[in-house]
Amino acid sequence: MTLIDYMEGYRILKKYGIRSVESGYVKSADEAVKFSKGRSIVLKVISQKAVHKSRSGLVALNLGSDSEIRRAYGTLTGRALRFRPFKILAQRMAKGGVEVIIGGNTDQQFGKLIMMGLGGIYVETFKDVASRVCPISRRDARSMLLQLRSHSIIAPDAAAEKRVIDLLLKASRMFENTDINELDLNPIIMHGNGYEAVDIRMID
Ligand code: ADP
Ligand code: MG
């Protein structure tokens, strides 16, 4: 049971056609500034010891200027000292939207289970999740979505519904066909015409 490196997880998602926000490790404030290319970015401390990054102050969102990036880089590396060893991950700031969670775990009896629900701050409040034993069909994926009380928030129209179902099927295929035992894409941000995973956690 080992945690897969963030960027390795990023490559696995890519291989299965699941979009995630452009990301890369940076080794200095200068590298972080270079990564931004003048656009807003996010910096995060990545460490085996930090499971809830934002709760520990290890996520800095919406960094627009070079000085903001430099300041955040300094603050984060300071806070990260008690989570050593750590890396600093830079990401593009994703467009706002509904946050969805897709997860997976392995049950002694049933094997791999895939789950989906409303993500972000609502996950713990509403516990609105649907899960199925893998493999799942398109029909199963659709029924999982419709089972959620939040389905019309997650997929307000037919195009969004198709997008979510396609995404869930890809995630489920990825989960089945790899050695990953535990999966947590939380959140995947859904917007007008797409989606992006912004937090990847995989255990094999
Ligand atoms: P953790 O779940 O460990 O606290 P996340 O990486 O999920 O850390 O970040 C916390 C929250 O910050 C996310 O739920 C999301 O709302 C927001 N967030 C994180 N990364 C991005 C990003 N690249 N673009 C936009 N929002 C982000
Ligand atoms: Mg998260």
Side-chain angles (χ1 to χ4, degrees):
M1 295 292 267
T2 54
L3 184 68
I4 297 176
D5 177 76
Y6 190 96
M7 290 307 294
E8 177 60 24
Y10 181 83
R11 283 185 281 275
I12 296 172
L13 290 189
K14 196 165 211 161
K15 186 175 155 200
Y16 283 88
I18 300 167
R19 274 174 288 191
S20 57
V21 75
E22 188 190 337
S23 305
Y25 290 122
V26 289
K27 293 205 178 73
S28 64
D30 281 340
E31 279 190 26
V33 168
K34 218 164 126 191
F35 178 93
S36 80
K37 298 195 188 97
R39 294 199 274 164
S40 287
I41 64 161
V42 173
L43 292 175
K44 298 180 183 179
V45 176
I46 303 291
S47 161
Q48 302 249 9
K49 294 174 191 151
V51 182
H52 300 291
K53 298 179 287 299
S54 42
R55 241 183 258 169
S56 308
L58 304 177
V59 177
L61 297 173
N62 216 358
L63 306 168
S65 66
D66 291 6
S67 63
E68 267 182 293
I69 294 170
R70 287 180 195 285
R71 205 177 322 126
Y73 188 92
T75 310
L76 289 187
T77 47
R79 285 185 194 148
L81 292 176
R82 59 193 182 96
F83 297 97
R84 269 183 299 195
F86 67 87
K87 290 180 184 169
I88 302 288
L89 185 75
Q91 297 184 324
R92 296 240 161 273
M93 181 71 196
K95 262 195 287 180
V98 182
E99 298 198 354
V100 168
I101 171 174
I102 292 181
N105 53 57
T106 307
D107 183 271
Q108 288 260 341
Q109 195 177 354
F110 298 108
K112 289 189 174 184
L113 292 160
I114 189 88
M115 69 81 105
M116 178 174 63
L118 189 62
I121 53 172
Y122 303 112
V123 141
E124 272 128 53
T125 320
F126 297 124
K127 295 193 170 54
D128 189 20
V129 294
S131 61
R132 295 284 187 284
V133 176
C134 292
I136 58 165
S137 65
R138 179 164 288 274
R139 226 184 128 91
D140 295 327
R142 185 160 191 278
S143 91
M144 282 173 75
L145 173 62
L146 295 182
Q147 179 188 331
L148 298 174
R149 278 174 286 142
S150 56
H151 76 263
S152 56
I153 300 172
I154 295 175
D157 54 41
E161 188 178 299
K162 181 176 185 307
R163 221 159 27 236
V164 177
I165 290 170
D166 286 347
L167 166 63
L168 182 57
L169 280 171
K170 282 181 190 168
S172 149
R173 254 171 239 144
M174 172 188 74
F175 188 49
E176 282 154 45
N177 296 327
T178 54
D179 294 332
I180 302 167
N181 289 308
E182 230 182 280
L183 170 71
D184 207 0
L185 305 175
N186 181 22
I188 298 170
I189 303 181
M190 314 289 308
H191 31 75
N193 46 11
Y195 67 83
E196 280 171 308
V198 304
D199 188 17
I200 306 167
R201 186 176 160 83
M202 296 174 179
I203 291 172
D204 68 6

